Amino acid sequence: MDRVRHLLDRLLAGTPPGESPLLHVEELPTRPGRPATWPAWAPPEVVAAFAARGVTAPWTHQVAAATAAWEGRSVIVSTGTASGKSLAYQLPALAALADDPRARVLYLSPTKALAGDQLGSLESLDLPFLRAATYDGDTPFEERDWVRAHANWVLTNPDMVHRGLLPQHGRWASFFRRLRFVVIDECHTYRGVFGSHVAQVLRRLRRVCAVYGARPVFVLASATAADAATSATRLTGVPVEAVTDDGSPHSAVTFALWEPPLTALKGEHDAPVRRAAGAEAGRLLADLVIEGARTLAFVRSRRGSEQTALSAQRHLTEAGATDLAERVAAYRAGYLAEERRALEASLASGRLLGVAATNALELGMDIAGLDAVILAGFPGRVASLWQQAGRAGRGLDPALVVFVARDDPLDTYLVHHPQALFGRPVEATVCDPENPYVLAPQLCAAAAELPIGRDEPAAFVASPGGSTEVVASVLERLTADRVLRARPQGWFWTSHDRPVIDIRGTGGGPVSVVDTATGALVGTVDRGAADGTVHAGAVYLHQGRAYVVDRLDLDEGVALVHDESPPWTTSARDVTDIAIVGAERSRRAGPLTVAVGTVDVTNQVVGYIRRRLATGELIDEQPLDLPPRQLRTTAVWYVVPQDELDAFGLPFDAVPGAAHAAEHAAIGLLPLFATCDRWDIGGVSTALHPDTGQPTVFVYDGHPGGAGFAERGHDALGEWLDATRAAIRSCECISGCPSCVQSPKCGNGNDPLDKAGAVTWLDLVLRHLRDAS
């Protein structure tokens, strides 16, 4: 631990007395391992291959999960990072291939980096009967026929199963007929709309396999998660048992909670500006690299990872360590295949000493020997935080983790309330396979693959044995719309073309970012995020190079950019209107009404703000003319009668600022209670909503049909709003700032906002919620 204490002292060097950004240190003790014996069914050659790689004995959780799978029971192993989950599925699958090399294994990964790492892990076993290969968008077309015909372990992703395997199941008939195991790695990432689509893709996969006479066993690997068995059953549609007792060892970890100080700079409405988490992470990364510590800095966004890496390189160069600056890089999704592979090779070889990464590395390669991890902001979920932190301390050497709070209500709450991290179970994964906006296109895809029989609606329900009412109603609507054709035998696809479905729920294919001067493809952006990230005037970063967007053409799916490095960043502003379609559940809490249901949201990006790159200081706001987007989704809302507010000291003219501030902070805190990101949800507050006639606050899912986040907020409303109030009160600012009630995407320019009024508003709401419970 002396080494870790030295690293922490290095990070604190030069801090003025009484101004330490270090708010809390949690010492996580060493956890001893619990080894087990190899199961009797494990083939000697497979055991010998693992032993040659240094695995002389498995851990208890590995044997428990592997044995369940070998015995034909679908299972999820939900344990910590670096606990050896891969052996839990490799052992039974390799045993099946040793017994019959004609058997097949399908491995699904959320990232190409993870699939590539798993391929390397399999190949290192050097087993003669194993023919493993990746099959993804980077696989050359001349290799795909070989993979389909000869590989007995295919590593791919849900997108490729959806687009490449299932629509061409006839060409994959031999593979599906012999499929023994389906491995779903990092399954906790399949949440929200994407998770709902993946759940239906897996139901389509099971359906196709059944046609060819196969009933594969599902083996899932997940970070530690609440109610893992239920989540896995909902994802796959088959009963799944859980193995959660982690038998692997882990080194001691020093976990530091770090809040960057307020600066002399002023932001919107003269609010104080805290030093940016990305800039602080860049400085910390540079200090740790100077100390020779192999370090990963996890940053929330693609742009942020680029900026953090550049910041670290700049600090190192200014310190005279130019050679070390060359050993720092960014790693994120969106790189071209050759760029990504070059970075992965440098990481694996150790040539890179410091890396600023997005969650592409949270789930990515098996990076060993790390001394430290920096978390630049809460990653959206408690499970992700521990997944990222678990990258430190591989082996038995003590390690350091530093959580750097962003200017954000949730981060403020966490660094001031350590028990919310260290004494709290992780969240359950949320997905809704019966979301009609997901179910309808997935039923079309299923019918295009094979007609849906009259007895098959049960194959698409959320839980085994559940009601088919939702599926039947969607089939009826698709038939009425003449998308499907109903016959006595079942439902048939009516078109000669295959249905086009974006399973990532982004509303169409990606937008290409193209350099105007050269015509070269720079990168891609999700279509649903294009308005806010590659609008005209936006600064777009790729591989450390900055570009400014000249024009966004949504019809053509292209953003034209030119090479420029301005000394500012940009972030979009939007405005939102909301209308209640209907409440699915509603209850009274004294005079309050609390509901969850369907709403229509109209959202429009109306401008963007520019902030100085080095300080985060506001420069100006520029208008934009982009079309509004319509969204029917799910929201949670609560109504507070004005007479109650009057009696509590909040007159009508104070309500807009109080409700607006409470709404902003609540949006920031919801990710602590639902498996969502702040950018997955939106909100509206009004002193007089036309549908309720009273002051009302809405928080809605930012995906068609909803993603389960608002429902989770409804179910945890009291706890959620209590944490919201605590976050506002914890912030040291006087009248509101980005760490408590200001929002970076507020289309009203964060006006009006009343920090003190928000506390009063929440005091009243929480009193009635407690009285009603």
Side-chain angles (χ1 to χ4, degrees):
M1 297 298 289
D2 290 344
R3 164 71 166 161
V4 173
R5 177 53 60 181
H6 171 74
L7 294 176
L8 198 53
D9 289 343
R10 165 79 192 202
L11 300 183
L12 289 166
T15 301
E19 297 182 19
S20 173
L22 183 62
L23 299 189
H24 179 81
V25 174
E26 189 84 7
E27 299 291 352
L28 306 179
T30 301
R31 182 182 67 211
R34 289 179 282 128
T37 58
W38 292 100
W41 50 264
E45 64 267 40
V46 174
V47 172
F50 280 117
R53 208 170 64 182
V55 182
T56 56
W59 305 116
T60 51
H61 67 280
Q62 293 172 325
V63 171
T67 299
W70 179 252
E71 292 175 353
R73 307 191 308 275
S74 291
V75 62
I76 178 172
V77 54
S78 177
T79 53
T81 307
S83 58
K85 292 186 284 287
S86 58
L87 188 144
Y89 56 75
Q90 286 178 354
L91 184 58
L94 291 171
L97 296 181
D99 179 60
D100 179 9
R102 296 177 303 169
R104 295 293 187 263
V105 177
L106 180 65
Y107 169 94
L108 303 182
S109 157
T111 68
K112 294 176 182 178
L114 180 55
D117 185 53
Q118 283 296 309
L119 177 62
S121 172
L122 291 168
E123 290 177 339
S124 71
L125 293 171
D126 196 25
L127 291 166
F129 57 79
L130 176 62
R131 301 184 300 278
T134 55
Y135 189 88
D136 57 33
D138 293 342
T139 305
F141 281 95
E142 59 271 17
E143 294 181 15
R144 296 187 181 191
D145 288 341
W146 184 93
V147 174
R148 188 164 43 241
H150 300 292
N152 56 12
W153 190 307
V154 174
L155 301 98
T156 187
N157 52 66
D159 306 77
M160 205 65 178
V161 174
H162 161 65
R163 293 197 309 265
L165 274 67
L166 295 178
Q168 302 180 55
H169 61 84
R171 301 184 68 189
W172 288 83
S174 179
F175 180 88
F176 286 130
R177 186 175 295 114
R178 297 166 177 169
L179 187 58
R180 287 281 304 276
F181 291 100
V182 176
V183 177
I184 307 174
D185 209 353
E186 305 291 358
C187 66
H188 60 280
T189 62
Y190 300 126
R191 59 189 177 89
V193 171
F194 178 45
S196 302
H197 273 294
V198 171
Q200 287 297 347
V201 170
L202 294 176
R203 284 156 175 76
R204 288 162 48 203
L205 172 63
R206 289 173 36 235
R207 182 169 171 261
V208 166
C209 287
V211 167
Y212 292 103
R215 295 188 180 276
V217 173
F218 285 81
V219 188
L220 301 92
S222 168
T224 304
D227 203 4
T230 299
S231 296
T233 296
R234 196 170 181 85
L235 180 65
T236 61
V238 298
V240 178
E241 60 186 68
V243 173
T244 59
D245 186 12
D246 194 339
S248 67
H250 202 284
S251 66
V253 173
T254 297
F255 204 122
L257 301 184
W258 191 282
E259 184 175 49
L262 293 172
T263 68
L265 301 172
K266 298 297 181 182
E268 235 172 351
H269 310 302
D270 290 330
V273 175
R274 199 173 294 280
R275 187 183 298 160
E280 187 82 340
R283 183 184 69 81
L284 300 179
L285 179 59
D287 283 346
L288 291 168
V289 166
I290 287 173
E291 290 295 320
R294 291 191 67 193
T295 306
L296 276 179
F298 282 105
V299 189
R300 292 294 310 275
S301 68
R302 295 181 178 189
R303 177 183 299 176
S305 68
E306 301 276 8
Q307 292 173 342
T308 297
L310 288 171
S311 175
Q313 290 167 348
R314 184 170 60 251
H315 283 294
L316 290 166
T317 300
E318 291 171 355
T322 307
D323 57 329
L324 291 178
E326 295 174 354
R327 299 181 68 186
V328 173
Y331 183 105
R332 62 168 175 82
Y335 284 168
L336 302 178
E338 55 271 22
E339 296 170 337
R340 189 175 64 249
R341 297 244 164 91
L343 279 170
E344 289 167 5
S346 296
L347 279 170
S349 68
R351 189 189 69 80
L352 288 177
L353 193 57
V355 176
T358 60
N359 67 349
L361 258 188
E362 172 193 328
L363 309 174
M365 301 168 62
D366 186 9
I367 309 299
L370 293 178
D371 301 299
V373 164
I374 301 168
L375 310 178
F378 184 66
R381 295 175 299 131
V382 175
S384 288
L385 180 139
W386 290 113
Q387 184 85 350
Q388 293 178 358
R391 292 288 168 188
R394 288 178 179 261
L396 294 178
D397 294 331
L400 174 66
V401 176
V402 183
F403 170 64
V404 182
R406 291 181 304 153
D407 235 356
D408 177 271
L410 178 51
D411 290 42
T412 299
Y413 177 78
L414 292 174
V415 294
H416 287 274
H417 299 82
Q419 71 278 8
L421 283 179
F422 302 111
R424 178 188 184 85
V426 297
E427 320 93 331
T429 302
V430 177
C431 76
D432 180 13
E434 292 185 10
N435 177 336
Y437 290 86
V438 171
L439 188 56
Q442 289 291 338
L443 288 172
C444 291
E449 290 153 7
L450 295 162
I452 300 173
R454 289 288 174 179
D455 60 345
E456 283 198 286
F460 301 95
V461 299
S463 301
S467 169
T468 60
E469 180 180 352
V470 174
V471 179
S473 67
V474 173
L475 285 169
E476 183 178 347
R477 176 168 58 83
L478 292 172
T479 303
D481 292 342
R482 299 186 178 182
V483 177
L484 297 182
R485 184 173 67 250
R487 290 291 183 264
Q489 304 95 321
W491 292 266
F492 293 75
W493 177 240
T494 59
S495 173
H496 294 294
D497 299 321
R498 292 174 182 153
V500 177
I501 307 169
D502 173 20
I503 69 169
R504 296 194 177 258
T506 54
V511 170
S512 299
V513 182
V514 176
D515 189 329
T516 306
T518 65
L521 176 66
V522 177
T524 60
V525 174
D526 289 341
R527 183 173 293 268
D531 285 7
T533 56
V534 287
H535 54 76
V539 177
Y540 175 79
L541 289 177
H542 181 82
Q543 280 280 54
R545 295 182 64 180
Y547 299 82
V548 174
V549 180
D550 299 313
R551 185 166 67 91
L552 170 62
D553 189 329
L554 291 172
D555 292 333
E556 295 296 327
V558 64
L560 300 176
V561 302
H562 68 268
D563 194 339
E564 183 184 347
S565 299
W568 61 75
T569 63
T570 56
S571 57
R573 283 281 173 79
D574 60 13
V575 294
T576 303
D577 290 320
I578 195 165
I580 298 172
V581 177
E584 296 172 11
R585 285 185 285 158
S586 180
R587 72 180 191 272
R588 300 283 294 182
L592 274 61
T593 301
V594 178
V596 63
T598 302
V599 295
D600 282 334
V601 178
T602 303
N603 177 268
Q604 184 176 18
V605 173
V606 294
Y608 65 97
I609 58 175
R610 299 189 300 168
R611 295 184 185 275
R612 298 197 190 282
L613 187 61
T615 64
E617 185 180 12
L618 180 69
I619 299 174
D620 60 16
E621 181 168 352
Q622 299 290 329
L624 289 170
D625 183 18
L626 289 167
R629 291 178 178 267
Q630 307 293 327
L631 175 71
R632 176 161 288 192
T633 187
T634 302
V636 54
W637 65 89
Y638 61 95
V639 183
V640 187
Q642 183 59 53
D643 57 357
E644 286 289 317
L645 293 166
D646 290 334
F648 213 69
L650 271 182
F652 182 78
D653 60 354
V655 168
H660 194 195
E663 171 227 322
H664 278 185
I667 288 172
L669 267 292
L670 184 56
L672 193 60
F673 301 91
T675 53
C676 68
D677 184 278
R678 179 175 184 160
W679 300 91
D680 288 331
I681 52 180
V684 172
S685 59
T686 174
L688 186 64
H689 192 271
D691 293 332
T692 66
Q694 297 285 358
T696 309
V697 170
F698 297 83
V699 176
Y700 62 87
D701 292 349
H703 301 280
F709 307 140
E711 291 183 3
R712 183 72 187 100
H714 174 270
D715 295 342
L717 185 65
E719 190 180 1
W720 170 28
L721 295 185
D722 189 54
T724 301
R725 178 184 178 277
I728 298 172
R729 289 179 60 88
S730 296
C731 186
E732 62 197 277
C733 75
I734 296 173
S735 58
C737 72
S739 289
C740 55
V741 299
Q742 287 190 348
S743 169
K745 58 178 182 174
C746 178
N748 294 320
N750 283 301
D751 184 46
L753 288 178
D754 182 349
K755 178 182 178 181
V759 174
T760 302
W761 170 282
L762 291 168
D763 282 341
L764 172 62
V765 172
L766 287 166
R767 187 182 73 177
H768 287 302
L769 290 175
R770 282 193 294 268
D771 290 346
S773 62

